[in-house]
Amino acid sequence: MNLNLYGYGPEGEQKWIIVDCGVTFGDLTTPGVDLIMPDPRFIEERRDDLIGMVLTHAHEDHMGAVAHLWRRLRCPIWATPFTAWLVRDRLREFGLLNEVELHEIALDSRFSLGPFDLQMVTLTHSIPEPNGIAIRTPAGMVLHTGDWKIDPNPLIGEVTDSDAISAIGDEGVLAMICDSTNVFTPGEAGSEGDVRDELIKLVGECGTGKVAIASFASNVARLQSAIQAAEANGRRVCLVGRSMHRMTAAAKSVGMLSDVKAFISEEDAARFPNDKILYLCTGSQGEPRAALSRIAEGNHRNVSLSSGDTVIFSSRVIPGNDVGIFQLQNRLAERGVNIFTEKDRPIHVSGHPCRDELAQMYAWAKPKVAIPVHGERRHLLEHAAFARELQVPQSVSVRNGDMVQIRSDGTASIVDEAPASRLHVDGNFIVDAGADSMRERRKLAHAGQIAVAMAVTDTGELVSGPEVRMQGVPEDANLSLDGFADALADEAERAFDRLSKRDRRDVERAEEEVRRAVRREANRIWGKKPWVEILMLEV
């Protein structure tokens, strides 16, 4: 959910650029929420001074919020070809393609936006065309790495441009804003070339059954490795899942995946012998609506897996997705499917730098200040300490919203705090994470809902009800749902009877008193405090 702001100029005259604008995904703490985005209100209030957005790469956590938030920002966008293709595709979905000024720039481009002189720097990562950005201003230069690793054999794209980074370092880097994801992991992340060799070997060992490989669709190098593993073992490839089709189309649009055989449709794949087909699937993170989950449930329209077939998870378990992934793997195992993960064979490498790679980046860039980003709090603190071990003069540990002033003398400090809340994509609406609706949703998910309807006269006499309706409330061996509802109805009536005639005629006050009584009674019986709604109708 990355959104970075860089500003230059005296207070009141600053010009701003955005680097990246991404999403993260909802979880059990945000029921009904599809996506979560950073709240851009700080820069939205300064939109006249926002002169552009630059995207480092096309992962959803770096560009997935562009279409959602663009109407709030209304700034031009710059991106390299692969990223630009995917941004256009998303803008088209939102009906924005003709409104947005999108500049497609070449790799290694250098261009100016107001007081900013921007140089794109080629890196390696788990997606095509990852870029760092050298941001030059009259006060000096900062290096924003984006996501990266050092891969001597990335398979798709160029190797990390160490010469460019070294030249930037020799020129003088005030501060480096750098990826912290793998700071606790010693050594190096590993190469995609090694993964390809292992996938070819593993697919060859899978016998006569069907094979499915689950991977991140955005990792085009991994997709190509899976395709080569299939072709090396006499199998044809069928893409399963919308993201697979979208990413391969984007890759082909910029000249990638040009030397692979044509993909087989799902309908045609069903007619192939089992040992002649390989399914390349979305859903490696256990997403309920993704292709692999539907296959595991047995309700995919065209694809089925059973005893003797194999699923290869060429991906890692992203923290927070553990439960969903293990449930998916258990459902596959129930069907007799053989499962291989990175724990069994070396079929995945990270796209983020481990400690040796971080040390090398600092040796090239030689920044005066380290500003760790992209990680949990403990990652940022460890990265800051590691930078000091590497003799970086100063490191600044930041939280969301911290405004860091980077000075021309090579020092930096946190000088202010900007609003840094979250926005939820809730169906067709975008709502603040702190909205009452989200608080109510969490309560409903935790303890259900009880509604009580009562009809009263204008003189405060109860003439009908209470009628109780419950949702999400369990049944107990000692108390049926009807018994539970009757107990709540009795308590609602007793609470109403306790009110004075004056209070009964005050509908709002009467509803609140009855609501509190019903909630207390529900908690006494059940041990939980459900969401309680009282509907008191005057007749």
Side-chain angles (χ1 to χ4, degrees):
M1 194 176 55
N2 298 276
L3 189 153
N4 310 274
L5 282 168
Y6 289 92
Y8 175 81
E11 188 171 351
E13 300 177 24
Q14 291 161 340
K15 297 299 179 184
W16 294 88
I17 59 171
I18 294 174
V19 174
D20 291 339
C21 187
V23 300
T24 188
F25 297 95
D27 56 25
L28 294 176
T29 67
T30 56
V33 171
D34 304 308
L35 299 173
I36 304 175
M37 306 181 296
D39 185 343
R41 81 178 73 168
F42 173 83
I43 193 61
E44 187 178 1
E45 293 169 355
R46 296 159 177 78
R47 195 166 67 189
D48 290 345
D49 297 318
L50 175 62
I51 55 179
M53 177 191 299
V54 186
L55 302 176
T56 62
H57 66 285
H59 273 145
E60 288 293 311
D61 61 327
H62 290 259
M63 56 74 71
V66 171
H68 291 281
L69 296 180
W70 186 80
R71 283 196 172 98
R72 299 187 180 207
L73 303 171
R74 294 193 174 275
C75 63
I77 302 170
W78 280 259
T80 54
F82 180 80
T83 303
W85 191 97
L86 289 167
V87 172
R88 284 194 199 94
D89 189 54
R90 189 63 55 79
L91 293 173
R92 188 178 294 110
E93 289 180 20
F94 280 70
L96 291 172
L97 187 59
N98 295 325
E99 290 187 47
V100 179
E101 181 184 336
L102 176 60
H103 299 268
E104 182 176 311
I105 54 176
L107 298 174
D108 304 320
S109 290
R110 186 166 176 174
F111 58 101
S112 294
L113 291 178
F116 303 98
D117 176 350
L118 306 173
Q119 177 185 350
M120 309 299 280
V121 181
T122 296
L123 302 173
T124 50
H125 184 42
S126 55
I127 195 170
E129 300 180 5
N131 299 277
I133 309 175
I135 304 173
R136 295 176 175 88
T137 74
M141 175 170 54
V142 299
L143 175 60
H144 181 101
T145 69
D147 291 359
W148 63 280
K149 64 184 285 187
I150 299 174
D151 189 342
N153 187 16
L155 301 181
I156 285 182
E158 301 298 322
V159 297
T160 297
D161 193 345
S162 57
D163 289 342
I165 301 170
S166 295
I168 288 167
D170 292 340
E171 181 181 339
V173 175
L174 292 177
M176 183 164 70
I177 293 81
C178 185
D179 184 352
S180 308
T181 308
N182 284 342
V183 68
F184 287 104
T185 306
E188 299 176 350
S191 175
E192 283 292 334
D194 296 335
V195 173
R196 175 172 298 181
D197 294 340
E198 188 65 22
L199 283 175
I200 292 172
K201 181 180 177 182
L202 179 54
V203 172
E205 297 171 5
C206 288
T208 59
K210 303 172 190 174
V211 176
I213 295 180
S215 183
F216 297 108
S218 59
N219 191 340
V220 176
R222 189 70 52 81
L223 303 190
Q224 181 163 292
S225 292
I227 294 166
Q228 291 193 359
E231 294 179 354
N233 290 285
R235 295 175 183 263
R236 297 294 295 275
V237 173
C238 173
L239 303 179
V240 189
R242 182 169 176 266
S243 292
M244 284 293 174
H245 289 277
R246 183 169 178 258
M247 285 294 174
T248 53
K252 288 185 174 183
S253 75
V254 295
M256 302 172 191
L257 301 180
S258 58
D259 57 348
V260 302
K261 293 180 181 178
F263 300 124
I264 304 299
S265 71
E266 292 177 9
E267 292 80 7
D268 288 343
R271 293 189 283 271
F272 271 62
N274 290 351
D275 63 348
K276 298 300 181 184
I277 197 70
L278 183 145
Y279 294 103
L280 196 47
C281 301
T282 60
S284 67
Q285 297 303 299
E287 303 96 316
R289 290 179 291 180
L292 192 56
S293 288
R294 288 186 282 125
I295 293 170
E297 292 285 356
N299 57 21
H300 193 280
R301 183 177 57 182
N302 297 310
V303 183
S304 64
L305 296 174
S306 57
S307 180
D309 297 333
T310 300
V311 172
I312 298 169
F313 285 82
S314 185
S315 57
R316 74 182 181 97
V317 176
I318 293 178
N321 295 342
D322 316 51
V323 173
I325 293 172
F326 297 150
Q327 288 176 343
L328 168 62
Q329 292 174 354
N330 285 332
R331 289 196 299 272
L332 291 167
E334 287 283 354
R335 293 180 171 274
V337 174
N338 303 310
I339 297 169
F340 291 92
T341 74
E342 62 171 334
K343 302 295 184 183
D344 305 306
R345 302 284 285 266
I347 51 177
H348 176 71
V349 291
S350 174
H352 299 272
C354 298
R355 289 177 81 91
D356 287 0
E357 293 158 286
L358 284 168
Q360 181 62 77
M361 179 64 83
Y362 278 101
W364 286 332
K366 301 183 285 289
K368 296 178 180 178
V369 181
I371 305 178
V373 294
H374 209 293
E376 304 293 340
R377 184 63 181 162
R378 67 189 188 96
H379 294 86
L380 306 187
L381 293 173
E382 176 65 19
H383 187 162
F386 185 50
R388 290 191 292 269
E389 289 179 22
L390 297 172
Q391 307 305 307
V392 178
Q394 185 185 2
S395 58
V396 181
S397 298
V398 295
R399 291 181 170 85
N400 290 334
D402 283 347
M403 187 179 293
V404 181
Q405 186 179 66
I406 305 168
R407 292 174 284 272
S408 57
D409 63 359
T411 62
S413 60
I414 298 171
V415 295
D416 205 347
E417 182 178 0
S421 61
R422 299 181 174 198
L423 299 176
H424 289 172
V425 179
D426 188 5
N428 294 327
F429 298 159
I430 295 177
V431 298
D432 190 277
D436 288 344
S437 61
M438 298 314 305
R439 177 176 56 83
E440 293 166 2
R441 187 87 54 80
R442 285 189 289 271
K443 285 186 177 180
L444 289 170
H446 176 68
Q449 179 188 33
I450 295 170
V452 181
M454 308 171 68
V456 299
T457 66
D458 57 3
T459 59
E461 299 298 323
L462 180 64
V463 295
S464 179
E467 292 290 333
V468 176
R469 296 290 183 269
M470 303 187 297
Q471 291 179 296
V473 176
E475 189 166 13
D476 184 73
N478 298 315
L479 184 66
S480 67
L481 287 177
D482 286 342
F484 198 160
D486 288 344
L488 297 180
D490 290 344
E491 181 58 28
E493 187 168 357
R494 285 193 294 269
F496 184 79
D497 289 343
R498 288 194 296 267
L499 295 171
S500 67
K501 288 188 176 182
R502 178 179 179 181
D503 287 343
R504 291 181 190 181
R505 290 194 294 271
D506 184 339
V507 173
E508 186 174 326
R509 180 180 177 86
E511 286 181 341
E512 179 60 17
E513 291 299 322
V514 174
R515 187 192 70 82
R516 289 180 179 179
V518 170
R519 194 161 183 252
R520 282 195 302 268
E521 182 67 4
N523 185 50
R524 185 189 67 79
I525 297 171
W526 182 18
K528 284 192 173 183
K529 297 178 179 179
W531 183 265
V532 176
E533 185 76 15
I534 307 298
L535 304 173
M536 200 167 289
L537 307 175
E538 287 187 307
V539 294

